[in-house]
Amino acid sequence: MPPPVTAVLDASSRWLPARLGEVEDLLRGSIQGHGELLGNDAGSTLAAGGKRLRPMLVLLCAGEAGGESTVRAAAATELVHMATLVHDDVLDAAPLRRGVATVVATAGRARAIATGDLLLSRAFALLADAGDGRAAALLADASVALARGELAQRQDAFDTTISEQRYLHRCRLKTAKLFACACQLGRDVPTLRDFGSEIGLAFQLLDDVLDVAGPPERTGKARGTDLLDGTVTLPLIEAIAADPELAALDLRALDPAAAEAVCDRIAATGALEKVRARALAMVAAAKRRLEEDGLEPEQGDLLRLVADGVVQRYS
């Protein structure tokens, strides 16, 4: 487990680790019995790990009293997240994810698409088996937002003229919406929904900083992967504002070495510090939101630790 996640688990050792263990068991069980090929491909995606921030948010927002339905909702949220990663890797022809070969790299495009479809279908099967229509509706809404965000990102590919507002709109759809949904699945109140949305947006901004800053041994992928994919992120938008010559970049012509050189130019403008500061402000705003609702003190403290963990992951 990454240190930020470990800090939350240590602070909630009375109940959260056991509940997350139930989520892991449910994830493993969900991908079994669907054929050897799909089972192996889905299993490799699960084994690649992750921070499990989204299921953790479901559990924390529900609190210690959350039962089996909460565990199912947490597992379903992670399955949707895993499905989007597999499908993203197909669209990007990504060779690595978290330093491990992707399904599309090892098994090909067709099997990777099928694997993502399996993970997505199993997410909703978990909720259907429990008859949880409310959770299914929330997760379906978030899944539609993810699809819309991916479509918007594809429409914007290689376009260095997109605005900050357009970029943030994409991030709210592709990342922040599922964070917000995770919180709502735990407890559907505006305060927690907005908390999830804020830290989800900060998470994406910091992830985009890390794509420029690296290093690959930490990120599990090459520096400038977004540039090579034609994905214009806030670091590049900020860098263009400081160095207008960057707007003339032909992202389609970049190779890995050239992408690293562009990363260095982006960093030289001070854009990374600006984006980090924006993300830190979002996290601070998210933590302030927790004071607006009558949360149990421990619950508020644990959610603030999660918010701090988003920052620590990228410090």
Side-chain angles (χ1 to χ4, degrees):
M1 285 287 186
V5 176
T6 303
V8 179
L9 294 176
D10 289 345
S12 58
S13 58
R14 187 180 70 255
W15 66 278
L16 185 60
R19 203 66 52 78
L20 277 171
E22 293 174 27
V23 172
E24 290 296 321
D25 290 341
L26 199 51
L27 289 172
R28 284 191 291 270
S30 294
I31 61 176
Q32 294 175 355
H34 306 288
E36 183 179 355
L37 291 179
L38 280 179
N40 289 341
D41 292 339
S44 69
T45 302
L46 179 61
K51 295 168 285 297
R52 302 293 192 258
L53 283 178
R54 294 155 189 83
M56 185 180 292
L57 284 170
V58 177
L59 298 175
L60 289 176
C61 288
E64 189 173 356
E68 181 186 354
S69 62
T70 302
V71 172
R72 282 180 172 269
T77 304
E78 186 67 7
L79 284 168
V80 167
H81 174 57
M82 290 166 57
T84 64
L85 296 183
V86 174
H87 283 160
D88 277 355
D89 290 340
V90 171
L91 292 169
D92 298 336
L96 295 174
R97 167 78 64 176
R98 297 170 182 149
V100 178
T102 60
V103 177
V104 70
T106 59
R109 182 183 177 88
R111 265 175 53 186
I113 292 172
T115 300
D117 290 348
L118 170 68
L119 294 168
L120 192 63
S121 66
R122 294 307 301 156
F124 288 96
L126 282 179
L127 301 178
D129 288 345
D132 196 341
R134 168 191 160 274
L138 283 171
L139 197 55
D141 183 56
S143 298
V144 171
L146 288 164
R148 290 176 57 209
E150 183 62 45
L151 179 59
Q153 183 168 302
R154 295 296 147 184
Q155 290 173 331
D156 294 345
F158 302 103
D159 184 357
T160 58
T161 69
I162 68 162
S163 67
E164 175 186 312
Q165 290 73 24
R166 173 69 173 180
Y167 162 83
L168 293 173
H169 171 68
R170 286 191 341 229
C171 293
R172 289 188 178 97
L173 291 172
K174 279 203 68 176
T175 305
K177 182 69 174 180
L178 190 58
F179 273 79
C181 176
C183 292
Q184 287 178 277
L185 288 170
R187 181 181 170 196
D188 195 0
V189 295
T191 295
L192 293 178
R193 178 199 65 206
D194 294 345
F195 168 81
S197 183
E198 290 278 5
I199 65 168
L201 193 55
F203 182 96
Q204 186 60 61
L205 263 65
L206 290 167
D207 197 59
D208 291 342
V209 167
L210 202 58
D211 183 77
V212 175
E217 56 268 23
R218 181 178 176 189
T219 63
K221 58 183 182 178
R223 282 179 72 206
T225 294
D226 285 337
L227 294 169
L228 292 168
D229 294 339
T231 302
V232 175
T233 61
L234 191 55
L236 178 55
I237 294 170
E238 288 282 4
I240 289 172
D243 179 3
E245 290 184 7
L246 283 168
L249 277 174
D250 181 2
L251 298 181
R252 288 183 175 85
L254 295 180
D255 59 18
E260 283 213 37
V262 174
C263 286
D264 291 338
R265 285 185 66 184
I266 291 171
T269 67
L272 300 186
E273 289 74 17
K274 288 184 179 180
V275 177
R276 284 193 189 100
R278 289 279 295 278
L280 290 174
M282 291 173 186
V283 170
K287 292 166 69 174
R288 287 195 298 271
R289 287 188 186 279
L290 297 177
E291 300 169 6
E292 301 170 8
D293 198 78
L295 299 177
E296 293 293 327
E298 181 191 47
Q299 189 178 33
D301 289 343
L302 290 172
L303 288 170
R304 278 184 279 272
L305 269 179
V306 172
D308 289 340
V310 168
V311 176
Q312 292 168 21
R313 166 71 177 83
Y314 297 97
S315 61

